[in-house]
Amino acid sequence: MNVGIDRLSFYAPSYFLDLHKLAAARGVDKDKYVLGLGQERMAVPPPDEDVVTMAASAALPIVEAGGAGDLDLLIFATETGVDQSKAAALFVHGLLELPSSCRAIEMKEACYGATAALQLACAWVAAHPERSALILGADIARYDLRSPGEPTQGAGAIAMRIAANPRILAIDPEHGVHAEDVMDFWRPNYREEALVDGQYSTRVYLASLVSAWERYRAASGRGLDAFRRQCFHLPFTRMAEKAQMRLHRAAGLPAPTPEDLQRILGDSLGYNRNTGNTYAASLYEGLVSLLDTCPEDLGGARVGLYSYGSGCMAEFFSGVVQPGYREALFAARHRAMFDARIELDYQQYEDIFHLALPKDGGEHAFAQYRTGSFRFAGLSQHKRIYEAL
Ligand code: CAA
């Protein structure tokens, strides 16, 4: 019996900043952001959007398509949690009116959390094949203004239905993991912005990739030629090129040509290039981008997947795209969402950046911006108020 991703939906906020504008404001050559990092636009969540509203908006099409009847496990992976105690999954559980028989929990390990959730859910479904699980991954990537990480900011959410005999991607049982206690990127509870040792973080990402890959190769007996396409965690899209080149070196293969890189990676990068880093959602945003936009029918193709969360946890795994997968995608919906986005000017971006949540426990109603199907309407006595639109 195969287990894996049966439905896959992505959501990004309605607002974005063009990185040419950020480069101009910072006095940086625009090619550094667009060519050097491979980023064109960053998604900017408005003040009435957070990880809960983004994740609920990502999940809604799956629930509307009838994917909640047999649901008994909801795992929300995020490193942008909204409460130290209550799982963000429970807010989504309420907004989507999920059955009270469905467990709802939150999971954290930086950008790796959704992969841990996916593997746990696959094991859960393998033990209970008549049941399904819903995995959410949502984050807001936020660094200090004028820091090197600023052009890699972003926001977005992924939702995946995990089921037996999946329509999109059957997850292979083999995997290779690398865990190590390092301080490459972290988010102290008392800070709004992430701290990062940027160049070091890219070296740890690549060293962990080699370690995870070697373990995957030993477990599966597969070489790189087993994969028709490759998806990587994408802090910025150029990172995928560096990763693919490192994999070739680790496998003892000649360096890939630019044409090889375009074929193996190209279609997986389009969405991230236009949203920026989405942390827990990022690898799966790359997978949606690949499946939605690749002109070739990938039915039957094996895809390699590399998940990396700073701190750090890394995992190399793979899956086989299922014949007829296109009928289970939400590609037209994703296209319409990207087409409808609204561009911010630099000052609007900075104004939104400086807005802070009130902490006085009073009554606060937030101005209404354009969001998905849900909004973070305000605060009342330290409680978050959400609205379905
Ligand atoms: N034209 C074309 N390219 C240019 C250029 C120009 N005018 N100017 C610079 N470049 C190139 C550089 O040569 C470099 O390319 P190479 O890596 O191929 O040499 C690229 O643009 C970036 O330049 P720098 O390395 O000088 O950039 P930087 O040091 O200012 O910032 C960064 C890069 C450290 C990654 C920074 O963006 C950062 O801190 N980002 C946040 C941390 C991060 O994303 N880490 C990734 C690994 S950790 C992870 O994956 C978890 C996670 O999600 C956070």
Side-chain angles (χ1 to χ4, degrees):
M1 180 189 62
N2 285 328
V3 175
I5 302 173
D6 182 64
R7 299 310 292 254
L8 181 58
S9 170
F10 175 68
Y11 174 80
S14 300
Y15 301 88
F16 71 89
L17 178 69
D18 191 310
L19 289 192
H20 290 93
K21 291 192 173 148
L22 183 63
R26 297 288 172 259
V28 168
D29 182 349
K30 64 174 175 22
D31 286 347
K32 174 170 179 180
Y33 295 166
V34 177
L35 302 177
L37 295 175
Q39 294 306 114
E40 286 175 19
R41 296 170 166 184
M42 63 161 79
V44 178
D48 57 344
E49 184 109 88
D50 67 4
V51 289
V52 168
T53 62
M54 291 195 297
S57 292
L60 186 64
I62 297 179
V63 173
E64 284 178 342
D70 53 2
L71 187 68
D72 67 359
L73 177 63
L74 168 65
I75 311 180
F76 191 149
T78 184
E79 53 167 290
T80 319
V82 298
D83 193 282
Q84 300 276 23
S85 173
K86 177 169 173 166
L90 279 161
F91 290 112
V92 176
H93 192 287
L95 288 171
L96 297 179
E97 300 178 0
L98 297 180
S100 58
S101 56
C102 174
R103 291 170 176 83
I105 56 169
E106 185 170 315
M107 178 167 284
K108 179 176 72 178
E109 177 10 54
C111 310
Y112 171 75
T115 299
L118 170 73
Q119 294 290 19
L120 285 175
C122 285
W124 175 267
V125 170
H128 309 277
E130 73 291 357
R131 312 303 299 168
S132 73
L134 184 62
I135 305 303
L136 308 174
D139 271 307
I140 298 171
R142 186 178 158 95
Y143 299 89
D144 285 322
L145 294 179
R146 297 171 187 79
S147 69
E150 186 185 24
T152 70
Q153 293 179 125
I158 195 83
M160 300 184 268
R161 178 174 191 265
I162 308 302
N165 305 315
R167 281 172 281 185
I168 295 181
L169 190 77
I171 300 293
D172 289 322
E174 303 88 3
H175 52 262
V177 159
H178 176 87
E180 191 177 348
D181 179 5
V182 289
M183 292 300 281
D184 59 331
F185 164 105
W186 64 106
R187 301 175 75 173
N189 285 347
Y190 50 81
R191 274 182 67 95
E192 297 293 329
E193 289 78 35
L195 294 169
V196 61
D197 188 342
Q199 298 294 347
Y200 175 59
S201 72
T202 62
R203 290 197 297 277
V204 181
Y205 174 115
L206 293 172
S208 304
L209 167 63
V210 174
S211 171
W213 158 251
E214 295 295 357
R215 287 182 178 136
Y216 172 87
R217 178 158 70 171
S220 68
R222 294 186 191 107
L224 281 188
D225 56 356
F227 310 115
R228 209 186 302 171
R229 293 291 190 282
Q230 188 76 52
C231 293
F232 291 96
H233 166 60
L234 296 170
F236 48 91
T237 65
R238 276 271 338 276
M239 195 71 218
E241 280 180 30
K242 292 172 193 278
Q244 190 64 29
M245 290 172 78
R246 182 62 69 90
L247 270 187
H248 276 239
R249 201 181 336 145
L253 297 170
T257 63
E259 293 73 30
D260 292 336
L261 290 173
Q262 179 56 29
R263 179 178 44 79
I264 299 167
L265 303 171
D267 296 313
S268 71
L269 308 181
Y271 287 3
N272 299 67
R273 189 179 286 126
N274 282 287
T275 61
N277 199 346
T278 54
Y279 292 160
S282 160
L283 168 64
Y284 302 96
E285 180 184 353
L287 178 64
V288 188
S289 181
L290 168 66
L291 298 175
D292 278 1
T293 65
C294 180
E296 182 185 330
D297 185 342
L298 293 174
R302 177 166 274 113
V303 177
L305 298 142
Y306 176 62
S307 179
Y308 176 76
S310 289
C312 72
M313 269 301 312
E315 181 163 342
F316 194 100
F317 62 112
S318 57
V320 177
V321 181
Q322 297 300 289
Y325 67 99
R326 283 176 165 144
E327 285 165 34
L329 298 175
F330 295 106
R333 192 179 175 116
H334 297 147
R335 204 164 34 247
M337 179 185 73
F338 276 110
D339 287 349
R341 292 202 304 171
I342 300 162
E343 182 168 359
L344 300 175
D345 64 29
Y346 175 78
Q347 196 52 53
Q348 289 170 315
Y349 152 70
E350 194 170 326
D351 290 347
I352 289 177
F353 187 95
H354 285 304
L355 289 174
L357 278 187
K359 294 183 177 164
D360 59 8
E363 305 293 317
H364 300 278
F366 300 158
Q368 184 157 7
Y369 287 72
R370 192 195 298 165
T371 61
S373 306
F374 306 95
R375 63 183 293 268
F376 175 25
L379 285 164
S380 171
Q381 298 172 46
H382 297 293
K383 293 176 194 157
R384 294 170 97 91
I385 312 295
Y386 291 102
E387 269 176 8
L389 299 173

